[in-house]
């Protein structure tokens, strides 16, 4: 079985955010990093080259092996900010209904700008998802 390509690295999450060319996106990602730090009470870490992650989520793989990825995280992508792991906890649907303008994909929440969503609701979503993976 292939090894997971996305692993925690020693790269700086702050350097990743600082290198985002678009000033508005850079500010949103800095604010999102602060929001996720508050919500998780965990320090950010880079996962691969483009995901700022918080905590570790271990999940079962075939053959009794386990994989791991950040419990929650985000990445600045071409069109949107991808938020990982925030939508898969009990009660997430009710919070998503109050979140504001967003899209959902397989395990991801996509927002164009933080101004499009209620950041208090987003913080609750992140905290709830993080807690559900660390019981």
């Amino acid at each position: 079985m292939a090894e997971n390509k996305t692993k925690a690295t020693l790269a700086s999450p702050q350097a990743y955010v600082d290198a985002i060319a678009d000033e508005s996106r850079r500010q949103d990602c800095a604010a999102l990093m602060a929001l996720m730090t508050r919500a998780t009470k965990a320090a950010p870490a880079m996962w691969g080259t483009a995901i700022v992650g918080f905590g570790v989520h271990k999940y079962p793989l075939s053959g009794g092996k386990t994989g791991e990825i950040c419990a929650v995280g985000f990445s600045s992508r071409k069109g949107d900010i991808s938020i990982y792991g925030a939508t898969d906890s009990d009660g997430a649907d009710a919070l998503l209904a109050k979140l504001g303008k967003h899209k959902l994909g397989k395990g991801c929440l996509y927002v164009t700008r933080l101004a499009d969503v209620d950041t208090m609701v987003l913080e609750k979503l992140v905290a709830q998802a993080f807690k559900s993976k660390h019981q």
Side-chain angles (χ1 to χ4, degrees):
M1 173 167 221
E3 198 171 311
N4 191 353
K5 293 178 190 175
T6 306
K7 297 179 183 178
T9 72
L10 297 176
S12 165
Q14 188 62 56
Y16 168 76
V17 170
D18 290 346
I20 296 170
D22 181 85
E23 182 179 350
S24 176
R25 176 66 63 85
R26 187 172 54 252
Q27 289 173 353
D28 278 354
C29 286
L32 188 54
M33 188 162 62
L35 179 152
M36 288 187 155
T37 300
R38 281 191 313 274
T40 64
K41 297 175 180 54
M46 288 303 298
W47 285 76
T49 59
I51 297 174
V52 177
F54 298 81
V56 176
H57 174 62
K58 295 187 183 220
Y59 54 92
L61 296 170
S62 62
K65 296 182 180 186
T66 59
E68 61 180 41
I69 190 65
C70 55
V72 293
F74 72 91
S75 183
S76 177
R77 301 296 186 191
K78 187 175 181 179
D80 295 309
I81 299 170
S82 298
I83 301 172
Y84 304 104
T87 62
D88 55 356
S89 64
D90 291 340
D93 289 342
L95 289 171
L96 287 167
K98 300 176 189 174
L99 182 60
K101 186 178 174 186
H102 68 279
K103 294 179 273 187
L104 294 173
K106 187 177 180 184
C108 291
L109 170 66
Y110 302 101
V111 298
T112 304
R113 298 183 315 241
L114 280 188
D116 293 340
V117 298
D118 183 329
T119 55
M120 291 178 67
V121 172
L122 180 58
E123 192 165 338
K124 286 178 188 174
L125 259 175
V126 169
Q128 186 173 282
F130 187 81
K131 184 179 178 185
S132 75
K133 295 171 185 166
H134 288 91
Q135 290 186 4

